[in-house]
Amino acid sequence: MAYQKVHADQRAPGHSQYLDNDDLQATALDLEWDMEKELEESGFDQFQLDSAENQNLGHSETIDLNLDSVQPATSPKGRFQRLQEESDYITHYTRSAPKSNRCNFCHVLKILCTATILFIFGILIGYYVHTNCPSDAPSSGTVDPQLYQEILKTIQAEDIKKSFRNLVQLYKNEDDTEISKKIKTQWTSLGLEDVQFVNYSVLLNLPGPSPSTVTLSSSGQCFHPNGQPCSEEARKDSSQDLLYSYAAYSAKGTLKAEVIDVSYGMADDLKRIRKIKNVTNQIALLKLGKLPLLYKLSSLEKAGFGGVLLYIDPCDLPKTVNPSHDTFMVSLNPGGDPSTPGYPSVDESFRQSRSNLTSLLVQPISASLVAKLISSPKARTKNEACSPLELPNNEIRVISMQVQTVTKLKTVTNVVGYVMGLTSSDRYIIVGSHHHTAHSYNGQEWASSTAIITAFIRALMSKVKRGWRPDRTIVFCSWGGTAFGNIGSYEWGEDFKKVLQKNVVAYISLHSPIRGNSSLYPVASPSLQQLVVEGPSFLSEALFSTRATKIEEMDPSFNLHETITKLSGEVILQIANEPVLPFNALDIALEVQNNLKGDEPNTHQLLAMASRLRESAELFQSDEMRPANDPKERAPIRIRMLNDILQDMEKSFLVKQAPPGFYRNILYHLDEKTSRFSILIEAWEHCKPLASNETLQEALSEVLNSINSAQVYFKAGLDVFKSVLDGKN
């Protein structure tokens, strides 16, 4: 039965029925009726509630109420709640008294013959319907090996290209409302459930009315961030790019000072420079890479610098890339609305006054402007050997930098839709992409991101419409405000924090799916190493102006888009539909041991604890994981317990407070070349210029506690399974 409750919405806009705390119970009610099957078999595919027309729908812009397509009840309360609340929903039947006690034999005989014929006829119909129309849904607890390929084979490059081009056409409107509406409409038409807008009013730091400038004191020459002279012609030719070459949430103003080359801003670089120069209120020339930008800016701020010119050294990029005149944008926002740190930007929330998140004046500039500042003609020589850009130690450069930004409250829109799970609907796999946000940089990665997630939704819903559903709920999200520090996703996460902490199994990001056409670089948690390969890079902190034509040059046939969609789709389907989550406990233990390899001091306790963690993980893997993967030995309650343990096992490695720009999950690497705990790397960096090693000791203690917590967690899991087994015996 298609029952979707309609009433005056008294919840906040964007609040979904699927995220109600009361609706997130672990079990399915035995009171659920089988009327879905009855109505589907009778052809009631356009069933609607008669009372729907007379209800007050309130926030109509935030809730998409689609009663045209019949969907099963989505709440554990469901129809049972309706029976309690609406007494007139049940048609009461009262049997009338017979008119006569006499019975006509012929009349009875006719009835019996008719009933017998109808009974035989019904059996024949049922037999042929059953044999000719097999169900698309596999039996519970089993996964058809061809299921995923059947879904993914419908994904076509041509469809993705068409979707991409349609989205790019919408981008020309400065207001992103049209893009959000287009995504919502398209997802709804594909059959996604409860597709809605989730809006937040947030503080955005936008470019000023005119581009930032850098002026050489020696010659008086003025340059824009892309290296072009400050002329009216240059401003007209690339006004949009020049305006959006800025650091969001930087301090604003003018600073005249000496430029000091700090290279990558590592501890050794700062220690060397501070021995020979006074860095107070000077301007740092900083390369992007090696460590998180926010961490390096924090170190420069503590050292006393007043400004930063940020650039990417061409030697850090492939030879085929020529970014000489390319400008870019960065955000200094660690995440979310800066005016509501740690809590969502909903109506009536207290807002802090935070127009800038650093005292530094920060300005991204192109490599060509850096070359002019240091009087270097080219980064690459004739023999193609790359010479890194650096300012000679014996030369002094004094410049004046001007940074202009404006802070405004703006609405950021997320689009969220669901495919409800069949057996574990309270467990969520979140798939995220992002769409263009007004007043942000005019890159086109968002169009690739949105086209790819939409292509997967189309393929998935084609199967769902034929009766199949994944075991777990898949939540599809298109985030707004990403360029300013993942604001849309952070605010949504803070808004539904309690629900998500308990119920989210995994997050799959399709943020920037196409960055080149040479290698595949997916990133994953250690427990998902078997599904993908790891390879992050901090150069991705820079947001370049990648136009649609550039993306189509990289992938003219959109075959790369198709491949990425299918690879990501298979990962999503495995996590959403495998009876046992495809997480590997032993991989976490091995990752911990690999992170402790080397000759660093004070790690002997960590190594001993890591060895015990591996022993517990091996026992857990052999005693629980392997039997659970055998369909003959699966017991639903044990599978549920096992998945709960697998879902939360990496939480032991979350620290309360990470250094600026670092992951809270200490298992995540800084880049593909680093195989150490990130907080230990930071602590060693921090202690280099200092005599005290207090920070290092604190970091070692955090790592030790994390490993011990994980070891206890696995052991407790084994004890729970043992007690359940003993109880049954």
Side-chain angles (χ1 to χ4, degrees):
M1 171 177 160
Y3 175 64
Q4 185 168 5
K5 187 167 182 182
V6 183
H7 58 82
D9 192 354
Q10 298 176 347
R11 298 169 295 182
H15 189 105
S16 167
Q17 60 176 325
Y18 299 141
L19 291 179
D20 270 329
N21 284 320
D22 294 339
D23 294 348
L24 293 174
Q25 303 301 319
T27 59
L29 293 179
D30 293 332
L31 298 170
E32 292 291 309
W33 302 338
D34 286 330
M35 294 189 69
E36 285 90 1
K37 293 182 181 178
E38 295 174 11
L39 289 174
E40 288 170 4
E41 291 170 359
S42 304
F44 285 82
D45 58 339
Q46 296 296 323
F47 178 81
Q48 295 185 356
L49 295 178
D50 294 336
S51 61
E53 297 176 356
N54 301 320
Q55 299 294 332
N56 177 15
L57 296 180
H59 304 284
S60 60
E61 76 280 5
T62 62
I63 297 181
D64 182 57
L65 196 58
N66 180 13
L67 294 181
D68 291 336
S69 60
V70 175
Q71 303 295 347
T74 56
S75 168
K77 300 175 183 176
R79 293 168 288 275
F80 181 61
Q81 182 185 34
R82 173 147 182 159
L83 290 176
Q84 292 178 313
E85 295 176 353
E86 303 178 25
S87 58
D88 60 344
Y89 182 71
I90 303 177
T91 302
H92 296 282
Y93 171 73
T94 305
R95 186 176 60 183
S96 59
K99 294 181 178 179
S100 171
N101 292 329
R102 290 174 297 177
C103 179
N104 188 298
F105 177 78
C106 293
H107 182 64
V108 172
L109 184 61
K110 289 180 181 179
I111 294 176
L112 289 175
C113 292
T114 303
T116 303
I117 293 171
L118 290 175
F119 178 73
I120 296 172
F121 188 60
I123 291 176
L124 292 174
I125 292 177
Y127 173 77
Y128 283 107
V129 167
H130 179 74
T131 55
N132 295 332
C133 301
S135 172
D136 273 354
S139 60
S140 177
T142 63
V143 178
D144 182 357
Q146 300 300 318
L147 171 66
Y148 303 153
Q149 295 307 315
E150 183 182 342
I151 294 173
L152 299 174
K153 70 181 181 181
T154 62
I155 297 171
Q156 301 295 326
E158 194 60 35
D159 293 334
I160 301 175
K161 179 192 286 188
K162 182 179 178 181
S163 178
F164 173 84
R165 290 179 173 175
N166 289 339
L167 290 165
V168 169
Q169 289 299 317
L170 287 174
Y171 156 72
K172 295 178 180 178
N173 186 349
E174 182 63 24
D175 186 2
D176 65 336
T177 305
E178 291 302 316
I179 295 176
S180 302
K181 287 181 178 178
K182 173 70 173 179
I183 295 171
K184 180 177 183 290
T185 300
Q186 189 170 20
W187 288 7
T188 302
S189 68
L190 293 174
L192 213 56
E193 300 153 9
D194 196 29
V195 184
Q196 58 184 263
F197 292 144
V198 186
N199 299 324
Y200 299 98
S201 179
V202 301
L203 193 68
L204 298 185
N205 188 243
L206 309 173
S210 58
S212 300
T213 59
V214 175
T215 304
L216 298 177
S217 296
S218 58
S219 63
Q221 287 180 291
C222 174
F223 297 98
H224 290 306
N226 62 357
Q228 299 299 313
C230 299
S231 63
E232 189 67 25
E233 292 77 13
R235 188 181 296 116
K236 289 181 179 178
D237 290 343
S238 55
S239 58
Q240 186 78 356
D241 291 350
L242 290 177
L243 280 177
Y244 289 100
S245 175
Y246 80 113
Y249 305 102
S250 162
K252 60 182 179 180
T254 303
L255 175 63
K256 183 177 181 180
E258 179 185 351
V259 176
I260 298 177
D261 191 345
V262 297
S263 188
Y264 293 97
M266 308 290 282
D268 290 337
D269 298 324
L270 297 182
K271 185 177 181 180
R272 169 180 51 82
I273 290 166
R274 296 178 72 177
K275 285 182 178 179
I276 59 177
K277 286 184 179 286
N278 178 12
V279 301
T280 304
N281 288 330
Q282 304 300 340
I283 298 173
L285 183 63
L286 176 67
K287 295 180 182 181
L288 196 64
K290 293 197 175 180
L291 284 176
L293 173 61
L294 296 186
Y295 178 74
K296 296 192 290 186
L297 292 178
S298 174
S299 299
L300 293 174
E301 189 175 21
K302 290 177 182 178
F305 281 92
V308 175
L309 294 177
L310 180 66
Y311 74 102
I312 296 179
D313 195 315
C315 295
D316 292 332
L317 296 171
K319 293 181 180 180
T320 55
V321 178
N322 182 18
S324 299
H325 296 280
D326 288 350
T327 55
F328 57 95
M329 170 190 172
V330 295
S331 175
L332 310 186
N333 179 14
D337 180 5
S339 67
T340 59
Y343 53 95
S345 292
V346 295
D347 293 341
E348 309 303 327
S349 291
F350 170 73
R351 295 188 180 275
Q352 301 181 17
S353 178
R354 304 180 74 191
S355 59
N356 56 280
L357 301 179
T358 178
S359 62
L360 297 168
L361 271 71
V362 182
Q363 177 59 52
I365 61 175
S366 66
S368 62
L369 180 52
V370 176
K372 290 173 182 175
L373 293 178
I374 66 177
S375 302
S376 174
K378 290 184 179 180
R380 296 190 187 273
T381 60
K382 292 181 179 179
N383 61 0
E384 291 301 314
C386 190
S387 300
L389 294 172
E390 58 183 16
L391 182 65
N393 292 328
N394 58 349
E395 296 185 15
I396 296 178
R397 299 283 189 276
V398 177
I399 68 163
S400 177
M401 62 182 294
Q402 182 184 45
V403 176
Q404 301 186 61
T405 58
V406 178
T407 304
K408 293 182 181 180
L409 278 175
K410 296 286 185 180
T411 298
V412 164
T413 300
N414 299 326
V415 185
V416 182
Y418 303 79
V419 176
M420 294 302 294
L422 184 65
T423 60
S424 299
S425 60
D426 63 320
R427 291 296 182 258
Y428 300 139
I429 288 80
I430 302 178
V431 184
S433 64
H434 71 110
H435 55 263
H436 173 72
T437 301
H439 312 291
S440 67
Y441 213 45
N442 67 350
Q444 301 294 342
E445 291 91 347
W446 68 269
S448 285
S449 175
T450 304
I452 282 177
I453 195 173
T454 302
F456 177 68
I457 291 172
R458 181 182 293 108
L460 180 68
M461 296 313 296
S462 176
K463 186 69 174 176
V464 170
K465 289 175 181 177
R466 299 200 301 272
W468 175 87
R469 279 184 179 270
D471 282 351
R472 304 172 186 91
T473 296
I474 306 177
V475 185
F476 292 97
C477 308
S478 182
W479 307 119
T482 300
F484 296 95
N486 299 319
I487 290 181
S489 56
Y490 261 78
E491 293 306 309
W492 189 78
E494 290 172 344
D495 203 359
F496 299 102
K497 181 178 180 180
K498 297 297 183 182
V499 175
L500 299 177
Q501 284 179 336
K502 177 184 176 183
N503 297 85
V504 170
V505 174
Y507 179 83
I508 294 92
S509 173
L510 298 172
H511 176 76
S512 296
I514 304 295
R515 287 178 173 267
N517 54 13
S518 58
S519 302
L520 176 67
Y521 286 108
V523 182
S525 297
S527 58
L528 288 171
Q529 290 288 346
Q530 292 183 347
L531 295 183
V532 297
V533 179
E534 190 170 10
S537 170
F538 287 111
L539 295 182
S540 62
E541 293 175 318
L543 302 179
F544 285 92
S545 174
T546 307
R547 303 189 184 280
T549 52
K550 179 67 173 177
I551 289 179
E552 295 207 36
E553 286 173 9
M554 289 190 294
D555 188 19
S557 63
F558 274 68
N559 287 331
L560 291 177
H561 285 74
E562 179 184 320
T563 301
I564 291 295
T565 308
K566 289 180 176 179
L567 288 174
S568 304
E570 186 163 4
V571 171
I572 295 166
L573 289 170
Q574 287 187 50
I575 300 175
N577 202 56
E578 294 293 329
V580 179
L581 288 171
F583 298 171
N584 196 302
L586 186 57
D587 280 350
I588 291 181
L590 295 174
E591 183 73 13
V592 169
Q593 288 187 318
N594 289 334
N595 285 349
L596 295 173
K597 286 182 178 179
D599 55 357
E600 284 78 9
N602 305 318
T603 58
H604 56 279
Q605 278 187 298
L606 299 180
L607 288 168
M609 184 64 69
S611 179
R612 291 196 288 273
L613 171 62
R614 179 170 178 173
E615 291 174 2
S616 296
E618 286 175 341
L619 282 173
F620 183 83
Q621 196 85 10
S622 61
D623 292 0
E624 301 302 333
M625 291 288 289
R626 289 175 185 169
N629 281 300
D630 184 353
K632 296 179 181 178
E633 298 188 29
R634 287 178 188 152
I637 187 172
R638 289 178 66 85
I639 293 296
R640 180 70 184 208
M641 291 166 57
L642 175 60
N643 284 335
D644 286 346
I645 294 174
L646 293 173
Q647 175 181 319
D648 292 338
M649 62 186 177
E650 280 195 25
K651 291 183 179 178
S652 298
F653 296 93
L654 292 176
V655 295
K656 291 183 179 180
Q657 189 69 40
F662 281 67
Y663 298 112
R664 283 185 59 221
N665 187 332
I666 64 175
L667 292 175
Y668 291 178
H669 292 161
L670 290 176
D671 56 47
E672 69 274 15
K673 299 177 182 177
T674 306
S675 59
R676 306 290 169 83
F677 283 111
S678 56
I679 61 170
L680 291 184
I681 294 176
E682 188 276 332
W684 282 314
E685 279 286 309
H686 184 83
C687 291
K688 284 180 180 178
L690 304 174
S692 171
N693 66 346
E694 182 178 342
T695 303
L696 177 59
Q697 293 302 320
E698 290 178 358
L700 288 168
S701 179
E702 286 238 59
V703 173
L704 181 66
N705 290 334
S706 296
I707 299 173
N708 180 64
S709 176
Q711 193 269 334
V712 170
Y713 182 78
F714 284 128
K715 188 176 183 300
L718 288 167
D719 292 342
V720 168
F721 279 110
K722 185 176 183 299
S723 63
V724 171
L725 190 62
D726 291 343
K728 287 186 176 182
N729 294 334

